[in-house]
Amino acid sequence: MSESSNPSAGIQHAPQGSQTGQFALLSQRRFAPFFFTQFLGAANDNLFKFAFTVLVTYQLQISWLEPKMAGLVIGALFILPFVLLSATAGQWADKYDKAVIMRGVKLLEIGVMVLAGFGFWMQIVPLLLACVFLMGLHSTLFGPVKYAYLPQHLSERELTGGNGMVEMGTFVAILLGNVGGGLMMGIPETGVHWVAGSCFAVAFIGWLVALRIPASPSSDPHLKLNWNPASETWRNLKLAAEYPSVFRSLLGISWMWFFGAVFLSQFPSFAKEVLGGNTEVASLLLVVFSVGIATGSLLCETFSHRHVEIGLVPIGAVGMSVFAFDLYLATQHLSHAPGAALMTVGEFVARHEHWRVMADLALLAFSAGLYSVPMYALIQLRAKPSHRARIIAANNILNALFMIVSSLMAGALLGHGFSIPQVFAATALLNVVVVGYVFWLMPEYIVRLVMLFVTRIVYRLKVRGDENLPTDGAAILVCNHVSFVDAVILGVCSPRPMIFLMDHRIFKTPGMGWFFRAVKAIPIAPQKEDPQAYERAFERARQVLNEGELLCLFPEGAITKNGQMQPFKPGIMKILETNPVPVIPSALHNLWGSTFSRIEGAAMSKPLRRGLFNRIGLVVGEPIAPQDVTPEGLQVKVQALLDQPSP
């Protein structure tokens, strides 16, 4: 089964080849009303939750809800609906118009905030806990719609930027909600009244904005609803498991929420009991964390050059562990004596040792932004459109399960005498194990990181015509063969995995063989040398195309030894006889004479002979219909692309 899908299925896409940046989306109706609707919803969630947490941590003394456990209990209650009802929410999002669902969810939010306002006014803790559950229900219903909406309205080139904007907006909303909730709860006597009024006002404005969201037609209008949440949950998880790369990315995202929940739930207690700060210090930590993750999320588009680039994920994963563990080290000599006065923000910032704490939080969050955005974009890109919302629902179910386990683990560690910094350290070490396992299951992440290194450090790659690279469906890409890293360079330019048919001797190149195996390259030997291997290669190539994947050929059959393009061999015609698919010509520029070319008889004879940051280019031509393809005609097309100025 192909894991590719058309991310542009839907309406109101940007014009082909549009180069507008991600912030330009805020001026367009296909994105802006949706963005601000989800922004206001996330802000209200966190305004309410953080104000409630501050109320029971700093102001009320409740015997059955200790301050250090309040954040965990509130967090667990909020995510419980994700476990119970995400499967149902995913069905609704696939079956009905997403804009209509979002407006209905905002009406639910208004009703919940009326109840919450009464609970704050009268300080009825059980009612507020019930409202936490209901706001979790609100987010459960909104989640599948939120991520299924984006690929329906954005093209592949906009998907990373759009997701980055949503992640940035979500965490800025978390920041504003938490800071607003904390500051308002700090107002003597009338703080709860301000919180109650603000929660209702934000919900009402969110509903007004949602009225502007454009129609988003059903992706599966004939879907028969299954009202049994248990069986539907299991069915959704099985559905997601049919797409291995998607399912493993779901696990990776769920782990990120496990990791993040440990920190977010402990900020009030961490600020008070470890750092000795008041509620404003707790808000400052959230500001630092939110700015960090928003920055990382936004920069994903810049680092990925407007494509879905999962090579950023390992970088983010390493940063999460390094800075989380350093946060533990940074707090080893910090302590707060029970009963001592709590520091204000000014007093906290004045102490230089606290700057390391804030830097660790910012860089940890920045790394989490790099880690999460490409994973979300990959899921949206490769999930089948008719099942996309249900796969997002499976993601929400897994996220919720992981966050519940996170709360239980943190609570168990705290109950057994661990300090909050020690819980952070344990989470950092566990991250090494879990993320390492995910990368072992799905080496594509590491492969893409290698590609990024080669094309951003050894070379400086620029691409022209990359809109001609298909985001779904079977096709063959042909290219001139200049160096041992041609496959690496072509692979990093593709929005989805590309399978390479290559000379068996290059496949066995020392130091590169592991890479070619990881990208599932197909080794081919000359027919006279090994006829069985020759036929196996073509059979595997046909299978790749039958599965709707993108196949890449180097029709010259070998790397050039003189910098000139060699005659194209007729092997491609053997494939097109049984798989008549579009053929896309492309040309690599300026690689001859670089480190990995054969300019002096062998690659690497003079490592880095042109230094670092060599400028190279790729030009991609328009697809050619299979009936119009001949080896000679293809060579003319590729030569014409080579004769163009380098990008």
Side-chain angles (χ1 to χ4, degrees):
M1 177 181 294
S2 169
E3 293 185 20
S4 301
S5 63
N6 181 5
S8 303
I11 53 176
Q12 296 188 5
H13 287 161
Q16 182 82 326
S18 173
Q19 296 296 316
T20 55
Q22 60 198 117
F23 286 99
L25 293 172
L26 291 177
S27 64
Q28 300 173 27
R29 190 184 169 200
R30 64 194 173 112
F31 184 80
F34 158 77
F35 174 84
F36 288 109
T37 298
Q38 69 86 29
F39 178 90
L40 291 168
N44 219 15
D45 280 343
N46 289 278
L47 190 160
F48 166 64
K49 285 193 299 176
F50 196 70
F52 183 27
T53 303
V54 169
L55 179 68
V56 295
T57 301
Y58 286 90
Q59 298 180 16
L60 296 181
Q61 299 298 321
I62 303 171
S63 59
W64 50 272
L65 189 61
E66 296 181 22
K68 69 178 182 179
M69 300 299 293
L72 294 174
V73 171
I74 291 170
L77 264 179
F78 183 79
I79 62 179
L80 183 58
F82 285 91
V83 178
L84 299 177
L85 294 168
S86 282
T88 302
Q91 291 181 91
W92 289 355
D94 275 334
K95 185 174 178 62
Y96 301 115
D97 188 300
K98 297 168 187 62
V100 173
I101 294 175
M102 284 189 267
R103 292 172 195 135
V105 170
K106 300 310 287 184
L107 286 175
L108 170 64
E109 182 184 351
I110 291 173
V112 174
M113 288 299 100
V114 170
L115 286 176
F118 181 74
F120 274 120
W121 198 285
M122 304 303 295
Q123 297 193 358
I124 305 173
V125 172
L127 178 59
L128 291 172
L129 287 171
C131 289
V132 170
F133 179 86
L134 291 173
M135 284 303 287
L137 174 62
H138 153 270
S139 296
T140 299
L141 297 175
F142 195 85
V145 181
K146 169 182 172 180
Y147 287 108
Y149 177 93
L150 287 174
Q152 194 171 7
H153 291 264
L154 304 183
S155 68
E156 183 273 333
R157 290 176 61 81
E158 297 172 310
L159 206 51
T160 293
N163 274 282
M165 290 292 291
V166 169
E167 291 301 297
M168 177 277 295
T170 298
F171 280 92
V172 169
I174 290 172
L175 160 64
L176 295 177
N178 284 312
V179 170
L183 292 177
M184 283 187 280
M185 286 304 297
I187 300 174
E189 299 182 1
T190 60
V192 290
H193 304 157
W194 280 100
V195 169
S198 298
C199 286
F200 176 80
V202 173
F204 184 74
I205 294 171
W207 174 71
L208 292 178
V209 174
L211 297 177
R212 292 281 300 160
I213 296 174
S216 304
S218 165
S219 55
D220 190 0
H222 303 297
L223 174 66
K224 185 177 180 181
L225 296 177
N226 175 13
W227 294 99
N228 183 328
S231 64
E232 184 61 22
T233 294
W234 178 246
R235 190 165 71 178
N236 279 11
L237 293 174
K238 286 175 63 179
L239 176 66
E242 292 178 9
Y243 304 82
S245 67
V246 171
F247 187 69
R248 290 162 187 167
S249 297
L250 297 184
L251 294 176
I253 289 173
S254 297
W255 171 252
M256 191 274 291
W257 282 107
F258 178 107
F259 185 92
V262 172
F263 292 86
L264 289 171
S265 66
Q266 292 301 315
F267 274 164
S269 297
F270 179 61
K272 180 182 179 183
E273 299 177 13
V274 178
L275 302 178
N278 60 13
T279 57
E280 294 177 354
V281 172
S283 297
L284 174 63
L285 298 183
L286 285 163
V287 169
V288 171
F289 190 88
S290 299
V291 169
I293 202 163
T295 304
S297 298
L298 282 178
L299 287 178
C300 279
E301 184 186 53
T302 300
F303 295 155
S304 63
H305 289 239
R306 294 174 60 84
H307 281 299
V308 176
E309 182 48 76
I310 61 175
L312 298 175
V313 174
I315 299 173
V318 171
M320 287 162 64
S321 276
V322 168
F323 297 115
F325 194 79
D326 193 66
L327 181 62
Y328 158 72
L329 297 177
T331 56
Q332 286 303 286
H333 303 294
L334 300 179
S335 61
H336 176 66
L342 297 176
M343 284 183 286
T344 63
V345 168
E347 294 168 336
F348 177 80
V349 173
R351 297 178 60 175
H352 70 276
E353 60 267 29
H354 293 154
W355 283 90
R356 180 178 171 187
V357 172
M358 290 189 289
D360 281 331
L361 279 176
L363 292 170
L364 182 161
F366 178 86
S367 301
L370 294 182
Y371 176 92
S372 62
V373 168
M375 281 194 172
Y376 276 117
L378 180 143
I379 290 168
Q380 293 163 340
L381 181 66
R382 298 192 188 173
K384 189 176 180 181
S386 61
H387 296 76
R388 190 178 283 134
R390 278 168 284 173
I391 288 175
I392 296 297
N395 176 61
N396 291 341
I397 294 165
L398 290 171
N399 291 354
L401 290 172
F402 274 62
M403 291 172 73
I404 288 172
V405 173
S406 169
S407 297
L408 293 174
M409 184 200 79
L413 291 177
L414 292 169
H416 282 78
F418 277 61
S419 67
I420 293 175
Q422 287 172 338
V423 172
F424 293 167
T427 307
L429 295 175
L430 193 57
N431 183 61
V432 175
V433 176
V434 173
V435 173
Y437 179 66
V438 170
F439 294 157
W440 179 76
L441 286 176
M442 192 175 173
E444 185 182 348
Y445 289 107
I446 304 300
V447 167
R448 296 291 299 196
L449 178 61
V450 173
M451 290 178 173
L452 276 180
F453 175 80
V454 171
T455 56
R456 303 287 185 263
I457 303 298
V458 179
Y459 299 112
R460 296 301 298 273
L461 172 66
K462 289 192 175 182
V463 184
R464 183 167 65 243
D466 54 339
E467 66 274 7
N468 293 320
L469 291 170
T471 57
D472 70 326
I476 299 174
L477 182 81
V478 297
C479 190
N480 58 320
H481 209 357
V482 193
S483 77
F484 284 92
V485 293
D486 292 351
V488 175
I489 294 164
L490 291 170
V492 83
C493 299
S494 175
R496 60 183 171 131
M498 189 185 296
I499 310 298
F500 295 90
L501 190 68
M502 62 173 54
D503 187 284
H504 69 116
R505 289 161 295 191
I506 298 176
F507 185 86
K508 298 173 183 176
T509 302
M512 291 297 295
W514 71 270
F515 174 85
F516 297 135
R517 287 189 294 273
V519 297
K520 301 178 181 178
I522 305 168
I524 183 170
Q527 187 174 21
K528 294 180 180 179
E529 180 180 325
D530 190 340
Q532 291 183 336
Y534 178 81
E535 290 300 329
R536 279 199 305 269
F538 279 100
E539 182 58 36
R540 176 69 184 115
R542 295 185 190 101
Q543 183 183 350
V544 167
L545 295 174
N546 287 336
E547 293 174 350
E549 301 293 352
L550 182 59
L551 180 69
C552 180
L553 305 180
F554 299 103
E556 295 167 87
I559 297 173
T560 179
K561 295 180 180 179
N562 58 11
Q564 301 301 309
M565 193 163 55
Q566 306 304 304
F568 280 18
K569 296 182 178 180
I572 189 171
M573 305 308 296
K574 184 178 176 70
I575 299 174
L576 291 175
E577 285 175 5
T578 54
N579 297 83
V581 300
V583 177
I584 304 153
S586 63
L588 287 165
H589 287 245
N590 299 335
L591 270 166
W592 178 248
S594 68
T595 301
F596 297 100
S597 68
R598 286 174 164 168
I599 189 170
E600 294 178 0
M604 298 293 290
S605 59
K606 290 184 179 180
L608 302 179
R609 65 190 307 276
R610 290 196 332 204
L612 296 175
F613 307 116
N614 288 231
R615 292 191 175 276
I616 61 172
L618 173 68
V619 180
V620 184
E622 295 183 358
I624 304 170
Q627 64 270 18
D628 298 330
V629 173
T630 63
E632 298 77 14
L634 270 181
Q635 184 166 356
V636 170
K637 292 280 188 182
V638 173
Q639 186 63 56
L641 296 175
L642 270 176
D643 293 339
Q644 293 183 15
S646 182

